[in-house]
Amino acid sequence: LIRGGLLMENEIIVYLDDSIHRIIYGEDPTPGFYSEIIADSVGLWAGRTLTGNKDVHFFLDKEGLMRFIRGDVPRSVSDRKFNKLILDEIDPVYYYRAAARFYPHLGHLYLTYPKSGSSYNDVQLIYDVRSEELISKKALTVENYSSYGEFEKDLSNFSPDERKTYGLCVVPIIGTKDGYIKEQKIIGYQDGVSNYESSITACPTFWKKKSQNKRILQADFLIEKMTHDDITFVIDLANEM
């Protein structure tokens, strides 16, 4: 059963539930496309966790979180550190609901999955690919993240200094089960705990035409204080909100 596919360089990598294949063009015996097996003991168990670019793919296998680098074979991201944590927590009945997204500009892999006993994605991990460390694990007590994406801000008219001040032009987008879309910018992390500083921004929303923006009439905030330290937050309203 084909679970998904993703480009790697100019080749199509096809993921089944128990194997991975490369689609290549050949002349022998006749011109056409042929399938070549890459791995016969690894597969894609959660279709929405397949993510990556032309150089590297990430996906969730029955053995845990896997990384497939071009020119190599699929390998565990961290069989000693995180895979046991993920596999011990995830509910096998709702394995397919897990979702992931790799953001090369950040070097971060976002993964959300349903914890055992839950029918929706209520845990989010953020894995730093460069340092090979888990930098955030957060319980989603309020929201159900169902998908990830990204959008690119137009900074073409900004000077280099202005761009640096404004931040990254490509930012993570989070979609929830209830149909809401949010932008999440991670400012900093606290190692070893689930709390971290972040900024959640409502993305530009329009109906059919970009010039017909929908206004936000109400914003509700639920803050759970789990520290003795003071909590500060800022609300910025865009023009004509």
Side-chain angles (χ1 to χ4, degrees), residues 28-216:
D28 187 26
T30 58
F33 290 94
Y34 297 90
S35 172
E36 180 182 277
I37 191 166
I38 296 174
D40 58 3
S41 60
V42 179
L44 177 62
W45 274 46
R48 287 190 295 167
T49 63
L50 178 58
T51 180
N53 54 23
K54 64 182 182 63
D55 297 315
V56 59
H57 292 176
F58 295 92
F59 59 95
L60 198 58
D61 173 58
K62 60 183 177 180
E63 301 296 331
L65 193 58
M66 306 295 290
R67 173 170 50 193
F68 175 30
I69 299 176
R70 181 163 55 92
D72 200 351
V73 295
R75 302 179 187 276
S76 166
V77 165
S78 180
D79 52 5
R80 294 185 303 274
K81 291 183 180 179
F82 316 128
N83 277 341
K84 187 175 186 302
L85 177 145
I86 296 172
L87 294 173
D88 282 352
E89 282 196 341
I90 195 168
D91 193 322
V93 176
Y94 299 105
Y95 212 95
Y96 66 93
R97 292 189 176 176
R101 181 80 174 201
F102 175 53
Y103 297 98
H105 59 292
L106 294 174
H108 292 168
L109 175 68
Y110 285 51
L111 172 66
T112 180
Y113 57 86
K115 191 167 54 179
S116 181
S118 174
S119 61
Y120 60 90
N121 293 335
D122 55 1
V123 177
Q124 177 183 255
L125 304 182
I126 302 178
Y127 173 74
D128 191 310
V129 174
R130 296 162 186 166
S131 66
E132 297 187 349
E133 293 291 339
L134 186 66
I135 54 176
S136 175
K137 178 174 183 280
K138 186 174 181 63
L140 307 175
T141 56
V142 179
E143 294 176 306
N144 172 11
Y145 292 176
S146 60
S147 63
Y148 292 109
E150 65 184 41
F151 76 89
E152 184 173 355
K153 297 177 179 178
D154 183 8
L155 305 183
S156 57
N157 295 324
F158 286 56
S159 68
D161 290 338
E162 288 174 330
R163 293 182 188 180
K164 185 176 180 181
T165 302
Y166 193 83
L168 292 166
C169 62
V170 179
V171 295
I173 293 297
I174 296 171
T176 69
K177 176 179 177 295
D178 299 323
Y180 292 98
I181 299 176
K182 296 183 177 181
E183 167 190 344
Q184 184 173 25
K185 294 182 289 185
I186 305 301
I187 300 173
Y189 301 97
Q190 297 178 18
D191 189 27
V193 296
S194 61
N195 298 324
Y196 55 88
E197 296 180 6
S198 65
S199 173
I200 300 294
T201 307
C203 302
T205 305
F206 56 87
W207 177 254
K208 293 186 178 180
K209 296 182 179 180
K210 292 185 178 181
S211 60
Q212 297 177 349
N213 292 323
K214 296 171 66 178
R215 296 189 178 191
I216 295 178

